[in-house]
Amino acid sequence: KVLSSKKIGHKYSNYLLYIKEHPDALIIQLDSVIGSLDGKITVLTIHIVNYKFQFGILLQHHTKEEVFNTLNSLFSKMKGLEDTYGLGMYSAFTEVLLTDNGPEFDALLDFCDLDPNIHIFYCHPLSSFEKGSCERNHVLVRYIQYKGWSFDDFTQTDINCLFSNINSYPRKSLNKKTPYQAVLNDPRLGKEFLDLIGIYKVDCDDVTLNPSLLRKIKK
């Protein structure tokens, strides 16, 4: 399997060159988490590598059209906040997006036609390690929602709760700060961004990274 010709200029080698030339750019990795094989609902995961911060959006159909529309809606809301408050949110968040070659991501290059300042890059085929930060964070998701368990009874509020707990877990790589704190302290993102995506702070003593969180959610 090889990358299609339309992805020329959007390969992993182009990504490496871009981030070398733009070392302060936020790096966004996109992926999806599938529940049970017979389940209908999947989760689009959006990961800010710089801060080990991840959030998710429920997908009803797991198609390239739904992924494009979901991201387009998110970007439009960011653009509105940027225009209203003079934030750098939209510009910073959409600068560098790296994903794999799953068919659900086939329409992402359309964003480059809409905005030349958006840069979409694709990993090599069968090379998920090239977006390893996102993959490693999925391990924390699986602490809570075991692989093979369905997402069909989840709401977006449930997903926000799951990722709020994960983002409130301190990381050594962040000098023992939480991903939530790191994003909060970035002037390009801050509280406005966190409120937009529905992620909130969970006190360290209350962070739950096991299936009992699901029982708390459903009470």
Side-chain angles (χ1 to χ4, degrees), residues 95-144:
E95 183 179 359
V96 181
L97 296 107
L98 176 68
T99 188
D100 59 33
N101 291 276
E104 71 270 29
F105 298 118
D106 279 352
L108 293 190
L109 290 179
D110 291 348
F111 284 118
C112 300
D113 297 329
L114 297 172
D115 185 342
N117 294 314
I118 294 179
H119 301 87
I120 306 289
F121 301 103
Y122 290 87
C123 297
H124 287 99
L126 306 177
S127 301
S128 60
F129 62 88
E130 291 177 343
K131 51 178 180 60
S133 183
C134 172
E135 299 288 346
R136 284 190 294 273
N137 216 71
H138 285 172
V139 172
L140 296 177
V141 175
R142 293 307 190 186
Y143 284 173
I144 301 167

